[in-house]
Structure formats: C-alpha cells, structure tokens
Amino acid sequence: MWLKPEEVLLKNALKLWVQERSNQYFVLQRRRGYGEEGGGGLAGLLVGTLDAVLDSTSKVAPFRILHQTPDSQVYWSIACGSSREEITEHWDWLEHNVMKTLSVFDSNEDITSFVQGKIRGLIAEEGKGSFVKEDDPEKFREGLMKFEKCFGLPEQEKLVTYYSCSYWKGRVPCQGWLYLSTNFLSFYSFLLGAEIKLTISWDEISKLEKTSNVILTESIHVCSRGEDHYFSMFLHISETFLLMEQLANYAVRRLFDKETFENDLVLHDPLQITKRGLESRAHSEQFSAFFRLPKEETLKEVHECFLWVPFSHYNTHGKMCISENYICFASQDGSLCSVIIPLREVTGVDKADPANRGVSISTKGKTAFRFTEVRDFEQLVAKLRMKCNATSSPQHIINTEVAASSASDSPKDFDAGPSKMGQRDNSKTVSTEALMTVYHPQDAENLDSKMLKEKMKEQSWNILFVERGHGVSMFRTKKTRDLVVRGIPEALRGELWLLFSGAVNDMASNPGYYTELVEKSLGTCTLATDEIERDLRRSLPEHPAFQSDTGISALRRVLTAYAYRNPQIGYCQAMNILTSVLLLYAKEEEAFWLLVAVCERMLPDYFNRRIIGALVDQAVFEELIRVHLPQLTDHMTDMTFFSSVSLSWFLTLFISVLPIESAVNVVDCFFYDGIKAILQLGLAVLEYNMEKLLTCKDDAEAVTVLNRFFDSVTNKDSPLPPAVQQGSNLSDAKSDHPKVDITDLIRESNERYDDIRYEDVESMRCRNRLYVIQTLEATTKQNVLRVVSQDVKFSPSDLEELYELFKKEHFLSCYWNVNSPVLQHHDASLPYLDQYRIDCQQFRVLCHLLSPWSHCANRDSLALWTFRLLDESSDCLINFKQFACVLDTMYNGSFTDKLKLLFKLHIPPAFTEVESLSPSKGGDLSKEELIHFSQLSVASVGDSLESDSLKSSPEKGKGKVDIQAYLKQWQDELLKKEENIKDLPRMNQSQFIQFSKTLYNLFHGDPEEELLYRAIAVVTSLLLKMEEVGRRLQSPTSPVKSPVAVMEVPAEIPRKAQDESSSEQTEGSRAQSLRGNQEWSFAFEQILASLLNEPAFVRFFEKPHDIKVKIESAKNLQLKARTRM
C-alpha cells in the first residue's frame, strides 16, 4: 500500500533492512529475517523477535519502498507491502509511470516535491473507492467543496468524479487534481506558489485519446480549440479515459444532436448523471450492441463460468451476462462461441451439479444449457426462476423460434391482420411472403449445377442446426461464421438475417405492431412520404419484383411505416435500396424489423439529416487504411478521397456498387459481424486494386479503377436467373478485366483483417465521433461567418471570436436547464444562420459583456428594446447575423447610424414601458420580467403587412416545405432597399422623454459630461420651439400653451458635481409639461439636424471603441456572469 511520505534516516535502519532493488530515485528493501532460510542469522532472529513482540497495530510490513535523491542523506518512505507480489507491483508502477518523468526536473527539491504530491494523490484516490458506495461520502463532499471553491461554476454543475494526476505544462509535469463534471473537464494544481487552473467544456473537445511517448508511458491527450493538453500518471487510466469519453460524447450529443436523445431520461437531465451510472450504462451499451439486443436492455449481472459445448465435448470459458429479458454467454478462450437465451424461451432453471456449482437452463427448443463454476450459483438459480415466472405471463407466451418452414412462425395476431384487411385496397394488404419466393420459385425437379450447390449449402446449414440448435438460442461458433462467409442459401437468408441482426427479438416483443403502423401511416402526407414516392421506382428497377405493383406497394408500406415510427429519421436516400433487398428475402413484417435493427442499432445515426454515423465510420475507415495500407496513404495527397468514394459503400452495404447476386453475400456478413464486415471488405477492395490505384494521377482515374473492379465481381454459385443477375450482363462487355468471386473476396478480407476486433471498432467510433461533429460545426461556423462578414466591418478574427461567444451563450443556457427552449430550437436541418439562436435573457448577458453602451444605467431596458427590434419574426429568438449587425452599428456605424439605432429603440415595435414594474431595483430587470416584456406585442405601422408575410413564409422543419415561398422570401431580401430615414415613424412625447433619459445615462461618466448635458438641454429646447412654431403655422387660430418649464431648461444646466437628482427633477418637470399636450411628436430628421449642431454629441458618437478589449474581457467573464445569474 502507498504511505504518506515520511522521513527515514538510513544510518541505523540498515541493520534492520536488506536492500533488494535500487535505482537513482527509489530503493526497495526487505525486512531482515523475512523470507530467508534459517531466519537470516542472529540479526534476523533479533529483528523477527522484535517484530513478533510488538502488537499488531505497530507491526512492521516486511517490504517497503523509499524515495531518495542523489547527494542526499534523507530518504522518504512511500510504500510498504505484506508480500513480494504487492511491493513488486508498486515498484513496477513507479518505474513505468514516474521514473522517466523525474529526469525533466532541474533540482532535487522539485523531484521530492513532485514524488510526495504524486503519492498523496494516489493515497487519496485509493481511499476514494471505499466511500463512493456510501450515501453521503465525507471525502467526496470535501472534493466537491474544493471543486466549487476553485472553479466558481454554478451550483447546478454536477461533479461526477475526480482523479489525482499530472498535467504537462510544456516539458514539466504539474501534480494536481482532475475534476470531471457533467459539462466541464477541470484541472487544479498549486505547488510551490504556482497555481494552474484549467476549465474545458466537453463541447469544445475535438480529440480525446490515449497516447504514449518516450517521457509519458501512458497519458490522455485532450485537444480543444486547437490547443493540446496532456494528463498522465493515473492510478487507473483506462477507467478514467472511459469516463471522459462517455462524458464528452454525451455532452456533444445532447448539445449538437439532441434529436437522438429526446427520450433518454438520464441524458435529458444532466443532474442525474453519476459515475456509477455512466459505468453501468457503458457496460449495458456494449452488452446490447455485442449480442444485438434491444437498446432498452440493461446489464444486471456478469458471472465468469464455463459452458458445456455438447457437439465439441468440452467446457468453454467465458462470461454469462444477464439482463431483464436475456441470458447471454460469450467465450473468452478464442473459440468464438456465443449463445443468446431469451427468458421467454426458458422452460426450466435447475442446479445441475452442486459439486461444480452448475446451473442448467432448459428451453422450448428441447435444448439444455449447462453452466459450471458459477459463483453464488444457488442465488442465481433462484433469481432466474423468478425472472422466468414473471416472463411467462399470458402476454409473453409467444413461440418466437424462427422455423425453416415459413407458415408457422408468424404470430397469430399478425396472421389475422391481412385477412381482415384483405377486402380493402391492395396497397394496405401486408404481404406474408418474401418477394424472391414469388418471382423466383425453386424448381425441385430440374436442378442444374448451381441449384445442386445451393442444396448442398442448405444441407450444411441443416447439419449445423442439428448439432448447434435452430433458432434464436443456437450456438454461434467459428463454423457458423465460415458458413456465413460462403454465403447463406436463398431459402434460409431471410430467417438467418432476422436471427443474426436481433430483429427476431424486436418482432417477438411487438406482435401486431407493424400491421397497426401500416394502418396509421398510409394516407399521411409529409415531406418523407413525398421523397419515398419519388424514390420507389428507383429501387432495384431492373428486378422484376419492383417492376410490379406487388413489390412497389410492399416497399411503400415498409418505408412509410418506418418514417411514421421514427420521425427523427423519417426517410433518407439509400433506405429504399436497402429495404428492396430485405424484401426480396424476408417477409414484409420481417423486412420492417430488419430495417429497424439496421437504422437504430447496427448503423446508429446513419440515416439522420447529417448522416453523422456514416461520416464517423468513414473516419474509422481512414484510420484503418493508415494502419493497414500505409503505402496507399503515402500516395494519396488527400485522404478525403476515400471518404467520398466509400460513402455509398457504407450507406447501402455495397448494394449500390456490386451486382445484386454478390451484394447479398456482403449483407449476410454484415448481419453476422456488423460494421466490421464492411470495414474489412473495404480494405480488401483497396488492397486488391493497390497497384492500379498507386499509378492513378487523379481522383477520377481512381474512381474508374474501382468501378471497373466492382463490375467484374461475380457470384459463380448464385442460383438467381441470368435475367436478374447484374454481373452476367457485363461479363461479355468487359471480359478484359479478370473476374473476382465475391466468396473469395469476403474470405480473403476475413483472413487478412481478422485482427480488427469489435471492441477496437467501437473505441475508434467514439474517438472519431468528436472529430466528425466538431468538423461539421466548423463548417457551419465558416458558412455563417462568410455570410455575415459581407454585412459588417469587424475583422475576420473579431467576428470569429464573437461567433464563439454567441454559440457559447447558447450552450450555457443548455448546460443546466433540462427544458431549455433554446435547445429545443437547435435543428441541424435549418439554414446555417438559424442553427444557433439566443433568447432575450442570453442577449442581455452578451450586451452587458460586449456593448459599448453597457455602462448605461438603463442597460437592461436598452438590451430589451434592442432584442425586440431584432426579433422580426416574433419568435423571441435572434440569430448571429442580427446580433453581429447591431454590434457593428454600435462600434463601426456612423453618427447617423448610431443615432438612428437609438431612435428606433425608442419607438414601436422595439419600445415598451418597463420601469414601472420594479421601481425598487432601478433599471435592472429580473429574468421573468425580461422574458415577459420580450414577448409583448406592440402595434406599429406595417404590422398587418408583417403578419401577412409571416403567414405566407414557409414553416421551418415542419411538414411540407413550400419551395416557392422560400424563393420569394429570398428574392425579397435581395431586393430590399436601404431604409430611408424619411420612412421612420415620428416619436411621441413619452418616447422622446425616454430617449432623452437614455442619452443622459449614456453620457454619465464621460470626460465631456458637462458639455453633453448642456447640449441635451439646448437640443431639447430647440426641438420644442420648432415643433411649437410648426404647429402654430398649421393652425394659427388654435391657442397653444407654451411649455414654460421646458423652455427654461437651458438656464438650468446640470454640472458634473451636481447630484443626479437635479437632472431627474428637470426631466420630471419637462415630462409633466409635455403630458399636458398629447400632440407633440418629432421626426428623426429634426432630431438628427438638431444634434448635428452640437460638436460634443458628434464627438461622443464618433469616438472609436476597441471591441478586442471587450471580447477578451467577455471570454473571462461569460461563465461568471452566468454563475451570478
């Protein structure tokens, strides 16, 4: 165990200890007399006696490790052990993790300080495991208090866990603590007076990986906004990395890709995330993905045990995994044996062999599975019996074994569906036969050589079924995979696809679901159904099954039902091609559940709007190319070629590039091995064409090479008629290219790239997901900046910083709010400008941080009015272009532009009275008041026109999109003329009073404050005189009372030293006199002309402001501003 470092003097200790190992910085010693023959002589006997006489609390451990530094007589005890194995483990850890690092320090004091800090961190971390299980662990509470004190984050930020580690600042490690919370990765260190504080939000991380080099044996590399950070010397680096990976991926998905997590209660509420919950979730996801189980399955128990394999007559070692509805087993001895036993199939659970702690499980298929060496086997038997009793309730008694004969395996509920609906229109009749059996029935009497081979394949599978079981609970072994690689027989293909994909379990759990879905979905009219109708005739058009209404109607029903089931995906191109092939070999309902398995489990996020899943797997593919085909990587100047050419491979599982008779063999392997099969085949294709690709001069030539290769791929054993086979039509035309048999190609890909493991692929998927999403975000940013830069005068770097602050404010509202309206409005399918928008509350925060007028006493009101002015669509949200343009006016606008902005802020629709609600708070508004005022509608000139345009504008992201409306809207924006100042409405008395107040507040604290106050008084008096004269000329007969109080304002100039109350009294008297007459109003030209006569005004508004200073301040204060609120 690690010890708190204490000084040890070796002068006298050498008589009691024997040195066993040493190096420049550490010494491993053994207690004299321990482990020696004869007790180590007299000295050993004396030491042994001394140790035996001492009581147990002060007994000395027989081994210890000391820390030393060159030229020093002082040693520090840092570890002890009761056995040689324990102390050797500590010694090895020091050599691998600490020794190489110590060489970078210049002084012995720094080395000792570092080692002591590292050991104390390890002690704290080792002790942490014991209190995490407690309800309110004291040490975790201490860690939480340190976390809150060091980083000052809002109290809603939930700390998940923390670790002792080293952060590398240049070439020097800094020992400290790494804190992992729901939204941030934080590090704190304070050594020798030097403080290091680091906070990185998960959504900023583009790379997260484990690395190693000469100095760092193993470290975690984090890349955020182009900066690299390295953390090392973790006690359990794999556990730490897994947790960081999960938190980063969940934060990114929740913020960037919320549509996939709307029904996830844990991720929907970040406050529910815990370390134990994340670990449990990771194991459950790995479990359900490996065994192809429904996503809802949660891993409950794992037992190491042996499974008796009857056909091989031996016990295979592995793990039994138990969830709510399944018992699964996977071998760990290289035999590739796995078993899935649904509890609905279990008929009995018994103790098989108490001496060997055996458990026997019997199923409906007359198969008994015998597990031995199961820890706590008696408790396990009791639990499984209870589970089986619960599962055998009436609604679960459905025999879901997939039989070879087609008639008996459909649930009764489903059989009844078509008979009831058969009297209706044919388009609603669910087909109960695979299209291949209708269009290519096998002739049992006239068998040619290909059909004989096909029958031999069937016989091989039937022998396998006899040996290893038939149905969902069959043994899956290396022989099963070998038969899949050879190609599944046509007659068994649909059944085995259903089995290997796990779709059989979904179908068994939802009897009658598809029929109901067809009833509900047919007749609906959405964007998805329009796209489906457009693509129906493009799906395998050369196949006779899809040249008739039978195949087209079945395809329509499956695709429409799926779009209805999963509106987040709806319909995506490539789904029609995949579904067509599924319908050839599977019944209609089976094809639907196969499509569910592919879209929602086997190819996650492939068919959403941004095809993120496909892009992630292409990044994995590129990574594998670098590892396995380095010469190809060296030749290609741009790796994106592989992504562009392979996108269709992944989206359609090679169906779009290979002849249909060859493509179905690829689909066989995909349903058995998952995405690994596609990656292996992709590598094999590139390697097969390596020589030709290396001679290609451009991408077009390389694409031609690959297309010719795919055209040459054949399936010599395919029993399909020549008219259907796509490869046979090209055999004569391109006979110069050597033929490649698909079976040989798949076998070669399996053998050559067999070292690609499922776990490695999943790890690469996680790692590349961050990179792909950040790349998409970078593209969004570039497009937004390109559009906005045309309308503002900010430099590109300043505009980019403003975008980051804007986006950060959007996310800050999503971090701690479970139901953030802003997050609900984030939709990646919207135009780039509208993907990130902020509400009035967030706009206020940014205004306070960035506006040059943020010192104004009524800054909250100004922010509110500015937001109302920008919110033209009245949805209480604004985009970055609107935000940047108003800031650009404040910083880079002319005197007229700035004055026009202030004028518009004090007239409808922007202006609304706000100060009367909370007089005690002065100008500050609460969040509730701000939201209330931002939603108020104020009637203004042109409101009816605006409402008409809003009604005619196309709805975003809902239902059918009116393309013509979008084009008209775009044309109107292009033709929009610059606003003429003569078109601005006039400002009435109350608005003018507020306008004057705002000017007073803006000028407060300015060096020319006195001159500016005097100018306001002069301009106000002049405007009132002009208005009075104008009204007298218009109606000379009507008596007009001269506002004496207002006329006398110039005589009472407020001075700098004068109390602000005097100016308030002046404003009050002027307001009172103005209210006496309801017809006073001013045009913008009048105000502009009057203010232009005052040089102090012009100087104030034309004074340059440096936004760089504000941006730097905002970057430091943005999080604190959110914390204060």
Side-chain angles (χ1 to χ4, degrees), residues 840 843 862-872 878 905 908-912 914 932-939:
C840 192
F843 180 75
L862 271 182
L864 169 66
W865 298 331
T866 309
F867 182 85
R868 288 170 59 87
L869 179 68
L870 299 176
D871 183 21
E872 295 175 355
I878 64 166
L905 294 183
F911 181 76
T912 182
V914 295
H932 167 72
F933 287 128
S934 70
Q935 293 172 346
L936 285 180
S937 58
V938 178

Side-chain angles (χ1 to χ4, degrees), residues 390-403:
T391 312
S392 61
S393 55
Q395 62 265 32
H396 289 283
I397 302 179
I398 299 168
N399 186 1
T400 58
E401 284 292 341
V402 183

Side-chain angles (χ1 to χ4, degrees), residues 1024-1041:
L1024 289 169
K1025 284 179 181 177
M1026 288 168 57
E1027 186 64 17
E1028 184 181 353
V1029 170
R1031 291 182 62 237
R1032 279 178 173 167
L1033 288 172
Q1034 286 177 2
S1035 54
T1037 54
S1038 62
V1040 177
K1041 213 169 187 178

Side-chain angles (χ1 to χ4, degrees), residues 434-441 543-551 721:
L435 295 176
M436 195 62 78
T437 60
V438 177
Y439 288 91
H440 308 297
H543 199 287
F546 297 100
Q547 294 168 0
S548 69
D549 187 56
T550 306

